[in-house]
Amino acid sequence: MIRDLLANLDTLLLWGFAGCAFVSAALMLVLRQPMRVAMALVSCMVFLGGVYGLLGVHFIAAFQVLIYVGAVMVFMVYAIMLLDPRDESAGTSKYSKLYWPGLVGLTALAEALAVGYWNDLPHALRGAAGEPFDILRFSEAFLSEYWLHFELTSVLLVAAVVAAMAVIRENRRHERG
Amino acid sequence: MGALTLIVVLPLLGFLANGLLGNRLGKGFVTAVGCGLPAIAFAVTVKTVLALHGANWAPISETAYVWTMVGQDSFEVAFWFDRLTAVMALIVTGVGTLIHVYSTGYMHEDKSYARYFAYLNLFLFFMLSLVLGRSLLVLFVGWEGVGLASYLLIGFWFGDVEKAAAGKKAFIANRIGDAGFLLGMFVLYSALGTLDMPRINAAFNGPLVPAASASLVGILLFIGATGKSAQIPLYVWLPDAMAGPTPVSALIHAATMVTAGVYLVARMSGIYLHAPEASSVIAAVGALTALMAATIAIAQDDIKKVLAYSTVSQLGFMFVALGVGAYGVAVFHVYTHAFFKACLFLGAGSVIHAMSGEQDIQKMGGLARKIPVTFATFAVATAAIAGIPPLAGFFSKDEILWYALTSERGGSVLLFAVMAFTALLTAFYMFRLLWLTFFGKPRMGQEIAHHIHESPPSMTVVLAILAVASAVGGFFSIPHFLEPMLPMPVSAESMHHWHYWVLGGSIAIAVAGLAGAAWFFAGDASRAGAVKAAFAGAYRVLSNKYYVDELYAAVIARPLLWISDRVFLRLGDRLLLDGTLNGLAALAQRAAGRLARVQTGSLHKYAFMVLAGMVASLVWMWRHG
Amino acid sequence: MDKVQMLQVLAASLFALGLTGVIIRRNVLVMLMCMELMLNGVNLSLVTFAHTMGSAVGAVLVFLIFVVATAEIAIAIPVVLLLVRRKRSLDIETYTDLKG
């Protein structure tokens, strides 16, 4: 029994991480405090990182945790801490007027996706090689075939940094004026 | 450049020189070029006629330029010179040159002197290409060109709206006729594959009868002729064309251009010889036109209007001659008419000149002694048109009457009776004109009477030359000259013994007209006044020209205006075109207004639309995937 | 339901939940985080496919999405800061200035 369990530990963990990620994501919709929502998102991301790790793409798992959790979400948490005290809209409903239409849309979307998956996914996956790949192949492809895309994203990043600086400067001028 | 091309091109050079440089180089230059080049053209024509005579009258043909080749058919700007061309070209250049010279006196004070001579030279150019053209195509270019020149000269004083409108009327009436001419050309070309006139005539005379019905072609070409030569139903433009300067009326609207239709029919006689139906139509239309115009002329008071209706009537005579197959006689009348009608118009111009612009004969009278040269020439020309022997008009008119009675190609007693009566009317109204203008008591105002003076020599000399030509022109027998190419119709045998009766009759008619007019209008014209009062209704109909203009306006012009206004402007343009565009614009505006409401500014709604779009596209893929 | 199908359904669910969050939550920051969640869903889908098909393309795309997400948040946070300074509110329903 335990041996069976150990043999299937990978699968079990995968299902467990997936379930936790789903629950975290669902929690994001219902928690009120932005900080708690952020924590739910962080946990979701960490679980996804676990999923990636279990799939054998460790470097993506590492980047998921490093960039998303370590950079993006930390930035987000700072913003929440900075802005929350200034927010004067506390006390209003946390949901928009489109609460019920949104939920109905969610159902409809889920159904449409589900039908699509059940009909088409087996066809799409048939004949798949199923051969796992490692960091070596990824690096080769990344630096030989996709270097231009990589450069373009770095340009985008630089542009974003410049834009952020411009926004902050505009902010200051506005405050002074 | 051959002689024929030279004849045609000389006036064109004059047009270009006067039109482009005339205003800058002054009146001396304009006069020299404007009169000199037509005179040279006349000299070249005379030389060519002499050459033709030396070559035993074998036609000269000359290709100036190959215009285009379509398959096997070449379209050339080619000229042709035979007996008929010789007569017409001599008239055009000869009378044309005289009238140019006359114009130097008549138009001397006009500020658009150069423009006037440019137009006049342009007219000569087109008229000569009409007369000399070998192909119907060249003839048609000339035909349209003289219409253009006529339009420009009728509306010469375009500042006056009425005169500009007269120009437009002439142009439009001519266009209607041109449509018939064009159709006739199309039929000929599709049947024969050529527009070359000698070949067309040969084809109709040859053993192989062409596919085209001669009558159809004949009628279509005659429709063109009714426009240019002012026959029923398109004659209405000619009296209004008197709005132009008087020398123009003499040259274009009496001596040359209006005879183009006669020339066309005579030139295409090969067709008409095989088209008895078309010939009957021509004779009937000609007779009706002659009679109707003569009756109108009796009741007109404008000196130029009387002459204009007289021209229409004389053209009717020519068409009667054409209709009965006496083509040479028609050309004979063209020839004599050119002299005496040009003389009459120029004389009228001299009278108007003397009367300081007055044209109403009821306000003239007693001018005989004050402007004796004008009176003498005018009297000769009047006698000529009335048919007093031995003046030119007598010979041609007598021949027309003779063939109207006896020709086996459509002559009849009825036709003769109508024409004889018309001849009587002609003599009557022409002498009425003479009497009211030159005899009796002066009826003009003191101011005008004081200014009456004889015209300058440039005008009187021309008048004298034309008067002499009107007097002796008839002794040169054109029909006989043309007989080798335009044979005379056979006269009915049974009629031959009537010959002297007809001759005497036409003399009697002329004298009767003279006597009648003299009796009616002698003294203070009280007898005429009494008759006018007795037949007031008839007089009103005649002086209003049978209300034909009003009839055309009611039957054609007003419905057309109505259709243009209601159907094309209001329905088609405003409702359909503008309506569609405005409707589309309004639709876009309203739709944009509706769609703008989607832009709520609420991010939630935008995101919801994204969701809806995704669901929709997924469902669509799932359905059609 | 095998592993791949399960992961794809999870990816789709994360995306759908994220989109729904954008629609129904009012807090600007929460909406931004929901967008991150959507991106994560897409990433998961890509990684799963890349893993199954043995192709590096999916992984490369995921990598690029990381960078783009970083750039996005680097712009979005200052914009939100500016907005809040203007209206002192994180409620998106107060920002309807672009109404047509």
Side-chain angles (χ1 to χ4, degrees):
Chain A
M1 167 92 186
I2 290 179
R3 199 179 296 161
D4 277 357
L5 203 72
L6 282 176
N8 288 324
L9 190 63
D10 268 12
T11 318
L12 211 63
L13 276 175
L14 193 70
W15 279 84
F17 284 159
C20 289
F22 182 78
V23 171
S24 312
L27 274 176
M28 285 177 67
L29 297 193
V30 290
L31 291 173
R32 183 180 182 93
Q33 296 289 329
M35 188 59 94
R36 291 188 183 171
V37 175
M39 287 305 129
L41 182 55
V42 167
S43 73
C44 176
M45 284 170 173
V46 171
F47 284 126
L48 284 178
V51 169
Y52 295 155
L54 284 172
L55 285 174
V57 277
H58 299 99
F59 61 98
I60 296 221
F63 279 122
Q64 172 87 2
V65 175
L66 277 179
I67 296 181
Y68 258 126
V69 182
V72 174
M73 287 319 293
V74 168
F75 196 19
M76 189 63 96
V77 168
Y78 277 147
I80 292 168
M81 288 163 73
L82 186 67
L83 293 179
D84 239 11
R86 299 190 185 187
D87 183 20
E88 292 167 356
S89 60
T92 52
S93 161
K94 70 180 168 187
Y95 294 122
S96 73
K97 288 173 207 152
L98 290 174
Y99 181 65
W100 288 110
L103 288 189
V104 171
L106 173 66
T107 326
L109 183 59
E111 216 152 293
L113 282 170
V115 171
Y117 278 152
W118 253 258
N119 286 344
D120 297 338
L121 203 57
H123 301 285
L125 293 174
R126 190 170 300 149
E131 192 181 315
F133 61 92
D134 52 5
I135 185 94
L136 187 69
R137 276 183 60 203
F138 169 78
S139 307
E140 270 177 12
F142 195 73
L143 292 176
S144 59
E145 277 182 64
Y146 299 103
W147 60 272
L148 184 64
H149 306 72
F150 175 64
E151 295 298 333
L152 283 178
T153 49
S154 51
V155 169
L156 180 70
L157 208 51
V158 171
V161 170
V162 172
M165 284 169 66
V167 168
I168 296 299
R169 179 167 296 178
E170 169 70 19
N171 220 358
R172 280 198 196 131
R173 200 190 311 155
H174 186 253
E175 270 183 349
R176 260 185 239 132
Chain B
M1 190 185 291
L4 302 187
T5 316
L6 191 65
I7 294 171
V8 176
V9 167
L10 278 171
L12 180 65
L13 291 178
F15 162 67
L16 292 175
N18 276 340
L20 296 176
L21 305 169
N23 274 333
R24 265 170 241 166
L25 296 179
K27 283 191 178 173
F29 171 81
V30 174
T31 309
V33 169
C35 300
L37 292 177
I40 299 173
F42 177 63
V44 177
T45 311
V46 171
K47 193 174 144 270
T48 313
V49 173
L50 293 177
L52 196 67
H53 177 63
N56 208 17
W57 303 106
I60 306 172
S61 179
E62 189 176 300
T63 303
Y65 175 65
V66 178
W67 189 0
T68 183
M69 303 278 293
V70 178
Q72 294 296 308
D73 310 321
S74 70
F75 294 90
E76 312 167 322
V77 181
F79 301 113
W80 178 260
F81 205 90
D82 58 11
R83 288 164 188 258
L84 177 58
T85 317
V87 173
M88 293 300 293
L90 282 174
I91 294 171
V92 172
T93 53
V95 177
T97 306
L98 286 178
I99 289 169
H100 276 73
V101 172
Y102 177 92
S103 299
T104 60
Y106 190 83
M107 298 294 287
H108 197 261
E109 307 300 325
D110 201 279
K111 61 182 189 303
S112 299
Y113 191 72
R115 183 163 63 92
Y116 174 81
F117 274 95
Y119 287 167
L120 220 53
N121 282 345
L122 182 69
F123 166 76
L124 269 193
F125 162 67
F126 282 124
M127 190 68 208
L128 285 168
S129 38
L130 193 164
V131 170
L132 270 78
R134 180 194 162 104
S135 151
L136 265 180
L137 211 55
V138 179
L139 191 150
F140 185 70
V141 170
W143 186 273
E144 291 296 300
V146 290
L148 168 71
S150 157
Y151 163 76
L152 291 172
L153 284 164
I154 294 169
F156 183 73
W157 291 306
F158 51 78
D160 186 339
V161 176
E162 213 171 289
K163 292 176 174 169
K168 269 195 284 182
K169 188 176 179 182
F171 206 77
I172 291 167
N174 270 303
R175 294 301 313 167
I176 297 169
D178 292 343
F181 191 168
L182 270 176
L183 289 176
M185 274 167 63
F186 294 158
V187 174
L188 276 175
Y189 186 74
S190 67
L192 302 175
T194 181
L195 289 173
D196 191 68
M197 288 187 283
R199 277 166 67 193
I200 292 171
N201 280 333
F204 276 92
N205 280 327
L208 288 169
V209 179
S213 149
S215 282
L216 176 65
V217 176
I219 298 255
L220 287 173
L221 292 181
F222 177 61
I223 290 172
T226 58
K228 192 101 338 192
S229 292
Q231 298 297 295
I232 291 173
L234 296 177
Y235 72 93
V236 288
W237 66 270
L238 187 56
D240 285 21
M242 297 303 130
T246 307
V248 170
S249 309
L251 177 61
I252 301 184
H253 305 121
T256 54
M257 185 188 86
V258 289
T259 60
V262 182
Y263 169 74
L264 176 71
V265 175
R267 175 57 81 192
M268 304 312 289
S269 58
I271 297 173
Y272 287 97
L273 284 174
H274 297 84
E277 298 90 350
S279 294
S280 309
V281 170
I282 292 179
V285 169
L288 269 180
T289 311
L291 179 62
M292 181 171 171
T295 51
I296 296 174
I298 289 177
Q300 295 300 309
D301 283 338
D302 183 322
I303 183 167
K304 288 181 73 180
K305 283 274 160 73
V306 175
L307 292 176
Y309 279 105
S310 145
T311 304
V312 176
S313 177
Q314 296 304 308
L315 288 165
F317 270 91
M318 297 171 202
F319 277 99
V320 168
L322 294 171
V324 298
Y327 305 106
V329 174
V331 177
F332 190 26
H333 201 55
V334 167
Y335 159 84
T336 55
H337 179 253
F339 292 135
F340 57 68
K341 189 51 67 63
C343 186
L344 284 170
F345 263 115
L346 296 184
S350 181
V351 168
I352 295 166
H353 200 72
M355 296 288 297
S356 316
E358 180 59 62
Q359 302 197 7
D360 191 343
I361 51 176
Q362 298 294 358
K363 293 178 183 161
M364 297 180 184
L367 290 176
R369 236 163 295 149
K370 293 189 175 156
I371 43 175
V373 180
T374 305
F375 164 67
T377 53
F378 201 90
V380 170
T382 305
I385 192 174
I388 305 278
L391 303 175
F394 163 73
F395 293 99
S396 53
K397 201 173 281 181
D398 172 55
E399 293 221 34
I400 290 174
L401 290 177
W402 169 245
Y403 284 109
L405 177 66
T406 65
S407 167
E408 291 205 323
R409 308 190 69 89
S412 69
V413 177
L414 176 65
L415 199 59
F416 172 77
V418 170
M419 297 323 288
F421 180 60
T422 309
L424 175 66
L425 290 177
T426 306
F428 179 75
Y429 70 69
M430 283 313 298
F431 281 114
R432 163 181 178 266
L433 180 64
L434 188 72
W435 239 261
L436 286 176
T437 309
F438 291 101
F439 297 123
K441 274 198 194 130
R443 295 181 294 275
M444 68 290 283
Q446 200 66 39
E447 184 71 16
I448 294 174
H450 186 68
H451 276 115
I452 294 174
H453 57 282
E454 185 59 279
S455 299
S458 61
M459 288 159 75
T460 48
V461 168
V462 170
L463 285 175
I465 295 173
L466 285 171
V468 171
S470 311
V472 302
F475 292 107
F476 179 65
S477 176
I478 297 285
H480 180 67
F481 172 66
L482 291 175
E483 197 146 19
M485 63 175 293
L486 297 174
M488 283 295 147
V490 182
S491 294
E493 201 66 46
S494 57
M495 294 289 189
H496 276 191
H497 62 279
W498 286 101
H499 194 191
Y500 290 101
W501 288 100
V502 170
L503 191 68
S506 62
I507 296 169
I509 283 167
V511 175
L514 168 62
W519 185 71
F520 267 112
F521 295 101
D524 57 354
S526 58
R527 295 195 187 91
V531 172
K532 196 201 274 187
F535 298 98
Y539 180 80
R540 208 175 318 120
V541 170
L542 289 182
S543 73
N544 283 308
K545 310 144 194 169
Y546 293 108
Y547 298 100
V548 169
D549 279 334
E550 287 77 4
L551 178 75
Y552 283 2
V555 176
I556 297 169
R558 222 165 298 147
L560 274 177
L561 274 179
W562 188 86
I563 289 175
S564 309
D565 183 50
R566 289 294 158 94
V567 178
F568 294 121
L569 182 65
R570 290 198 199 169
L571 179 73
D573 205 59
R574 295 214 183 122
L575 205 68
L576 284 181
L577 291 178
D578 291 4
T580 312
L581 290 176
N582 291 341
L584 282 174
L587 184 71
Q589 221 164 14
R590 234 172 293 150
R594 294 269 162 79
L595 283 176
R597 282 191 216 156
V598 176
Q599 299 283 329
T600 52
S602 157
L603 276 177
H604 288 130
K605 282 184 187 149
Y606 297 166
F608 185 71
M609 280 182 225
V610 171
L611 177 65
M614 275 171 138
V615 172
S617 52
L618 278 170
V619 168
W620 191 85
M621 269 168 64
W622 165 52
R623 281 286 199 78
H624 298 82
Chain C
M1 189 155 75
D2 73 343
K3 188 171 72 173
V4 174
Q5 270 181 330
M6 184 273 286
L7 288 176
Q8 288 300 342
V9 170
L10 176 62
S13 311
L14 293 185
F15 182 85
L17 283 171
L19 185 54
T20 315
V22 173
I23 295 172
I24 66 174
R25 296 298 299 256
R26 298 173 72 155
N27 191 302
V28 181
L29 292 166
V30 173
M31 285 168 74
L32 272 177
M33 286 188 277
C34 286
M35 281 184 223
E36 295 299 322
L37 186 63
M38 287 163 75
L39 276 176
N40 269 293
V42 173
N43 273 351
L44 178 59
S45 177
L46 283 169
V47 169
T48 313
F49 275 125
H51 172 74
T52 319
M53 310 272 230
S55 144
V57 183
V60 171
L61 206 50
V62 170
F63 208 80
L64 299 181
I65 288 173
F66 283 159
V67 182
V68 172
T70 317
E72 175 220 322
I73 213 76
I75 290 288
I77 296 290
V79 169
V80 172
L81 272 172
L82 257 172
L83 287 177
V84 174
R85 280 211 184 144
R86 289 269 165 93
K87 296 208 176 173
R88 306 242 153 235
S89 169
L90 281 170
D91 185 358
I92 197 73
E93 292 191 358
T94 54
Y95 301 104
T96 51
D97 304 63
L98 287 178
K99 182 169 167 52

